[in-house]
Amino acid sequence: MRERDGTPPGHLDERTAVLMLHGRSVPARAGFDLDYKSYNWADALAKAGYDVFIMDLQGSGLSPRPKMNDPRNVNPAQQQLLKPRPPGFTPGPPNYPYQLTNSNSDRDELNTVVEWIIRERGVEKVAFIGWSAAAFTMGPYAVKNPDKVSSLFLLAPIFPPDGTSNAPTSLPRPGFPTFVSTKSGTWKGWGNEALCAGQREAAMENVVWDAIMQNDPVGSTWGTEGEGLNRIRNFVRWGWNKKTAAWGGVLGGSVPVLIAYGEHDLQVTTSSEDPELNFSVTALYNAIAGDHKLMVKLDCAGHSVVWEMQHKNVHNLSKHWLKQLKVDGKTQGIFDMDTNGAISPAP
């Protein structure tokens, strides 16, 4: 966990704590605390007077990565990428033939951090900001712990409306602990969503990858010399769907919710016959039973909007949300945001 405390001196009793959680493949620091130009979201919030915490779950960033240091525990279908490093590596079946973490362990880790913040910083609740797959952890946690969560801001949330509610019959689940991604493969995937002129600076390819590698001391020594590989934890998920999102009317009720996503994001809305991989950001908005819910579509933005032209508008949107819990003066509705940051009701 990393902290940027922006609480002004003499206002400790008015402290507002914000916790930021990463998605599936990008460690928290590279996503939220990137020291390059104006891209540092955590710093922007701290300068606005918030006490900001960013955390990496087990298997991500500088948090412990049990079983992930062993290259044999990489997805067997990807082990050919482990050339020429580490030297002498021989492909084969995983030495630990299971997935690494699961929804219960992730939510337990989140709870540990939330309770620490509440205790050590003397706040009653914590405001959540989650990117992408963070929704699998923060959404259900907020539903079950509204006494600890003041609000929920989900950027590009992954939501399978018909996903399973129940844990597998046995854990750990068979598989492998680690996926890996290459620099070129990662950037190509993000590039498929860069459809507007000037949507993303060319320099960000190196800036972001370097930040990811700085947070992966082992993966940075694998694969192509001078590039490395991004190690991505393999986790089992459940309990985030249209039933759990509506449970008790908590989301949109005692926990106000803001959803923001890019118009070119290919990951938040998919079409799959597998309900676990069929995602819909609109279905999430519709599933939230409470009235205090808002959704903003960001023009000229993709899933990696934190590194794109709209990033400062996202920062400003989050600051306004944390202070007002409104968008355009309203507590419910669907809106569009243009690249100048102007907000208007969706047609």
Side-chain angles (χ1 to χ4, degrees):
M1 183 173 63
R2 182 174 173 86
E3 179 183 10
R4 284 186 178 265
D5 188 352
T7 304
H11 294 271
L12 299 183
D13 58 338
E14 303 169 19
R15 185 189 299 270
T16 299
V18 180
L19 178 59
M20 309 180 84
L21 183 65
H22 60 88
R24 172 181 175 268
S25 61
V26 178
R29 190 169 181 184
F32 301 128
D33 202 17
L34 184 67
D35 285 326
Y36 181 73
K37 294 186 178 181
S38 58
Y39 290 92
N40 195 314
W41 189 357
D43 186 57
L45 291 177
K47 288 178 178 176
Y50 297 100
D51 191 1
V52 185
F53 300 84
I54 62 173
M55 69 171 290
D56 277 301
L57 293 165
Q58 183 176 205
S60 178
L62 297 178
S63 288
R65 301 198 192 203
K67 309 299 183 181
M68 294 178 68
N69 289 354
D70 183 351
R72 279 283 292 272
N73 286 333
V74 169
N75 177 5
Q78 295 183 309
Q79 289 185 12
Q80 76 277 4
L81 298 174
L82 294 165
K83 296 177 181 179
R85 303 181 304 166
F89 169 68
T90 302
N95 289 320
Y96 181 78
Y98 302 98
Q99 297 187 40
L100 183 63
T101 62
N102 60 66
S103 289
N104 282 345
S105 64
D106 285 352
R107 292 166 200 162
D108 286 346
E109 290 177 20
L110 179 62
N111 183 63
T112 297
V113 171
V114 168
E115 292 193 339
W116 184 92
I117 294 172
I118 290 173
R119 181 178 65 252
E120 297 296 326
R121 293 296 176 263
V123 296
E124 293 184 1
K125 296 183 178 183
V126 178
F128 280 0
I129 294 178
W131 179 22
S132 189
F136 283 107
T137 305
M138 284 186 153
Y141 181 88
V143 168
K144 295 295 182 67
N145 298 276
D147 57 319
K148 302 176 186 178
V149 182
S150 60
S151 64
L152 181 61
F153 179 7
L154 296 176
L155 178 66
I158 304 300
F159 180 73
D162 297 311
T164 182
S165 295
N166 303 315
T169 54
S170 64
L171 290 171
R173 190 172 180 178
F176 49 84
T178 315
F179 291 99
V180 291
S181 65
T182 63
K183 180 179 180 179
S184 60
T186 298
W187 206 248
K188 180 180 179 181
W190 294 333
N192 291 335
E193 300 175 346
L195 304 180
C196 296
Q199 183 174 330
R200 189 172 54 204
E201 293 183 61
M204 295 306 288
E205 178 175 0
N206 292 327
V207 170
V208 171
W209 189 257
D210 289 348
I212 292 173
M213 290 297 95
Q214 288 169 10
N215 285 267
D216 192 344
V218 174
S220 60
T221 69
W222 288 358
T224 302
E225 186 78 33
E227 287 193 5
L229 294 172
N230 181 23
R231 294 180 300 158
I232 302 168
R233 68 194 185 104
N234 192 8
F235 66 101
V236 187
R237 54 178 174 80
W238 64 85
W240 181 231
N241 52 46
K242 60 187 179 184
K243 294 180 181 179
T244 54
W247 187 85
V250 172
L251 297 186
S254 57
V255 180
V257 179
L258 171 59
I259 300 165
Y261 71 100
E263 68 166 326
H264 300 312
D265 191 330
L266 299 175
Q267 300 186 48
V268 296
T269 302
T270 61
S271 179
S272 173
E273 295 182 359
D274 183 349
E276 302 301 329
L277 299 176
N278 190 44
F279 306 138
S280 172
V281 66
T282 302
L284 173 57
Y285 180 83
N286 292 335
I288 294 171
D291 292 329
H292 198 156
K293 61 177 182 178
L294 298 126
M295 185 163 68
V296 178
K297 182 175 71 175
L298 309 166
D299 289 353
C300 285
H303 199 69
S304 57
V305 62
V306 294
W307 306 310
E308 297 178 348
M309 70 160 73
Q310 281 273 40
H311 70 278
K312 286 196 288 187
N313 292 331
V314 171
H315 298 176
N316 291 333
L317 179 64
S318 66
K319 287 185 283 187
H320 183 79
W321 168 252
L322 291 169
K323 185 176 182 179
Q324 304 289 341
L325 294 178
K326 295 179 181 180
V327 170
D328 197 31
K330 299 178 177 62
T331 58
Q332 186 178 36
I334 301 174
F335 301 85
D336 290 335
M337 175 183 282
D338 66 21
T339 55
N340 293 317
I343 293 175
S344 59

